Each structure stands twice: as C-alpha cells, then as structure tokens.
Amino acid sequence: MDHCDAPSSHSPQKVRRRRVFYIPGYDPIHPRRYRELYRKEGATQAAISGYQIDLIGRQGPGTYGWQVTGRIDGTETEAEFDVLVWADIVRDSMKLNIAQTYLLMARTAWTYIAYGTLWRLMRLRKGPVIAALYPVGMLILQLILALLLGHILGYVAAFLAGQLALPGAAAIAYVLVFAATFIVLLGWFRKIDHRLYVYYLMHDYAYSARSKGANPPELEARIALFSDQIAEALCSDVDEVLVVGHSSGAHLAVSILADLLRAGRVPKDGPALAFLSLGQVVPMVSFLPDAHRLRRDLQDMSVQSRIAWVDVTAPGDGCAFALCDPVAVSGVAQDSGKNWPLVVSAAFSKTLSPARWKELRWRFFRLHFQYLCAFDQPGDYDYFQITAGPLTLADRYRDRRPSASRIETPVSKYTSMAP
C-alpha cells in the first residue's frame, strides 16, 4: 500500500521510547556541536510551540550522543540519540596541502564535466550546482590574486633593487618577492577558510568524485559498523528506531538501511523503523558513473514496505536538491511498486517569519542546517516533535500528500545498478 493511501482510521500507537541515529553530512567537526544545537534550538522551539524538551548529555563507549525527554501533547517520550560519527574519515580526506588541493580541484571539475554530470545536475536545481562551483571559482580567484599581487610587489622590488646597479639584483629581487608573496597569500587564504568554506567544500565534492560515486573502502567499513549499531537497536525494547540523515549523511543512510533490509536484519516484530532525510544532496553522487551501489540502494529503499521514508528539503536551501525525489531523478524508480520517499517541503519562506527569513535568506550554509533548528512559524515539519514526540514518523505523515512542486523527472545519464 502506498504511504499516501493509508487508511485515515488508523489508530497511532504512542511512542514512549525511541532510539535516534543521526548521520551528519561531510563534517570534520566534533559531534558535540549537534548536541548543543539540539539543546539550544529544542528549547527555542518548545517555547514557541508550547511543549517541553529536556536534554541530558551522554558520552558512551564508541558512540557520542545524548538523552532527551519530551513532554508533548500530554505524553512523555524518552529518546536516546547517537551520532554515527565519520568525522575522522572527513578529516583524513582533507589532509592535503595547497598544491594538492588545486590538483584535486582540476580532477573533480573534470569528473563532473567530462561525464556530463554537471549539466544534468543543473537541470534539477541551480543552487547546489552553484554551491559546487563556488570553491572552484574561489580557488581560481585566489590563485589569480596571489599571482597578481606577487607580480606587482615583485616588480616594485625589482625596480628598487635595480637602483643598486648590481648584476642580476633586479631579477633576483623579483623572483624572491614574487614567490614569497604568492606563498604567503595562498597560505593566508587557507588560514581563513573557516570564514570562506572554500577548501572545505572543495574536499566535500571531491570525496565522492574521486571514486566516481563508488564508496571508498574506509566508508564501506564505517557503513557496516553503523548497520550493526542500528541492527542492535532494532532488537531492543523501544517503540521506534529513527534514522536521520542530513546532507551527505542522507545517502549513507540509504545504503545502511538497504543493507539491513537485504540481510534480513529488520525484525518483523521489532520496533517501527523510519528514515528521515534532510537537505539531501543524493544526485551529486548518484549521477556519477560508478555509483552502482547507491542506485541499487535507492531502488531497494523505494519499493520496500518496512521502513517509512520521509524526505524533507526546502527551496530556500541553496545547498540541497530541494523537492527532487532522489529515487526518481536518479532514474531508478520502477514503473510500479514505488512507495518511497514521501517528498515534503519545509517551506522556509512560510515557516520562518518575514523578519527571520530576511535575516537568514542569504546565509546559505546556516540555512542548510535549518532542518535541525527552530521555526518561529512552524508548519507540519518540526524536528523536535519528530525526534522527541509521541508519534512515529509513519503516523505523523500518514495523511500527508507529497509536495505538488516536487521534481520526479529522470535526469541521470547513468542508471546501472549493482547486482
């Protein structure tokens, strides 16, 4: 039965205990950031919406998480959060010097252009494509500025050295000052990248492009570990296991859950299992030629009936493929039998007040995390009610129709799947 056609007479079972597994995107930062974000934004949303959220930090062996008690709609729900950390893999992938980063830029740009992926991505949403081109343009601009300033200062140094009337002094002065200026300026740009996000984004897009969409061995090993952790939770005494994948974490979650299904590790009499994908960038990977595994996982997740999958994006998020059905646009949706995902808009321009929307509208990276934050005019998407409230994800969206403006046109050039 399609999720949109579920009978409205269904009586939802109250969730008293929930396990939440949060999978971040390509992020080198310590996961405590997500705990503090949940603490701050949860308190804000609770004050706006009239419920209560209490958070207690937790540091367990091998995992990082926290515990939440939600008192919503007259029901108390306990939720235990685990962040499925792959920040160490991210940090290792970013250990490149400036010259190596420029070579990586050239290789990544060639991959997306030569295989025709870039042009097809632009047919979906220009925002995330512009975000992908931003680090390329900025790295080229930084190189030009370093060359130009190096030449100007080198020329000045050569002129001054020429006044000494020493053989070769002008040429030596030019070369030394040019090289020093060039190196120092590029190094300075790298030092302030926490403000510009140029190197960070370049490494982000390059990580999948290096292997043309296939998962590197270290990522496959981490996916297997995450699968084991979720499988263990599915054998515990909770009412719902909720997997949340944000940004690049969304396509990792797709593969993790598809693996669990194929391995028969989703017990029929176990807790409800649900998947919430937020701000997904799946096409950046699934459109690459060797993403055979991801495309198979997307198709398997779309036709199964065991895991409710709700995909939430917003046109105001320029870093996500907003309202693009990740299965359909990747060209792997079956003609019949497709159940998931339910594509829903967070509608930032409506769920944020005009003043708040004006404040955040051009803060692109901040908006990419808005799904994890409070809304001052909340609609039917509320991250804190989903994760700490009394309804399962399936029940919360049981009667929700998919967003009318969603994009389902198959666009990917590559549709081959792993056997």
Side-chain angles (χ1 to χ4, degrees), residues 14 56 71 144 149 249 289 316 333-335 381 405:
K14 295 288 186 182
I56 302 173
R71 296 175 181 85
I144 292 173
L149 186 60
Q334 294 187 353
D335 293 336
Y381 171 74
S405 56

Side-chain angles (χ1 to χ4, degrees), residues 154-401:
Y155 182 83
V156 172
F159 174 78
L160 295 175
Q163 306 304 309
L164 301 176
L166 295 175
I172 293 173
Y174 177 86
V175 171
L176 290 177
V177 173
F178 174 87
T181 303
F182 181 77
I183 293 171
V184 168
L185 189 57
L186 285 183
W188 180 73
F189 282 133
R190 179 68 181 269
K191 187 176 181 179
I192 64 168
D193 197 61
H194 63 284
R195 302 178 187 174
L196 303 176
Y197 300 102
V198 174
Y199 282 78
Y200 163 71
L201 285 173
M202 189 69 261
H203 290 113
D204 185 356
Y205 296 120
Y207 186 69
S208 297
R210 286 179 192 171
S211 53
K212 300 181 180 63
N215 288 333
E218 69 276 7
L219 191 58
E220 279 291 349
R222 196 61 55 89
I223 286 173
L225 177 62
F226 293 163
S227 297
D228 289 342
Q229 293 175 356
I230 295 172
E232 183 179 352
L234 288 170
C235 296
S236 66
D237 184 22
V238 296
D239 301 304
E240 182 183 41
V241 174
L242 173 64
V243 177
V244 180
H246 176 240
S247 193
S248 300
H251 67 257
L252 297 188
V254 167
S255 292
I256 291 166
L257 293 170
D259 282 351
L260 289 172
L261 283 168
R262 287 191 292 261
R265 302 178 77 184
V266 181
K268 293 182 179 180
D269 57 350
L273 178 57
F275 173 34
L276 176 66
S277 51
L278 304 173
Q280 55 89 6
V281 290
V282 168
M284 289 296 298
V285 182
S286 66
F287 279 32
L288 290 169
D290 291 347
H292 312 292
R293 193 253 218 261
L294 178 56
R295 288 190 287 266
R296 165 59 66 193
D297 297 341
L298 285 166
Q299 185 180 82
D300 287 352
M301 280 293 291
S302 72
V303 298
Q304 53 81 32
S305 58
R306 305 286 296 281
I307 305 171
W309 176 9
V310 178
D311 180 65
V312 181
T313 51
D317 176 11
C319 297
F321 283 90
L323 303 185
C324 295
D325 183 317
V327 177
V329 300
S330 299
V332 294
Q334 294 187 353
D335 293 336
S336 61
K338 180 177 180 291
N339 296 320
W340 307 103
L342 171 62
V343 177
V344 173
S345 177
F348 292 166
S349 61
K350 296 179 180 178
T351 53
L352 295 169
S353 65
R356 186 66 172 150
W357 176 237
K358 183 179 180 181
E359 177 187 350
L360 296 176
R361 187 170 186 176
W362 303 110
R363 296 173 59 187
F364 300 113
F365 299 115
R366 168 59 179 79
L367 279 175
H368 193 46
F369 283 87
Q370 179 58 39
Y371 310 98
L372 310 176
C373 298
F375 293 85
D376 53 0
Q377 295 182 171
D380 63 359
Y381 171 74
D382 181 329
Y383 182 60
F384 306 98
Q385 289 204 48
I386 290 172
T387 55
L391 294 178
T392 64
L393 186 71
D395 283 334
R396 183 169 297 279
Y397 286 97
R398 182 168 299 275
D399 298 318
R400 177 65 152 86
R401 305 297 302 180

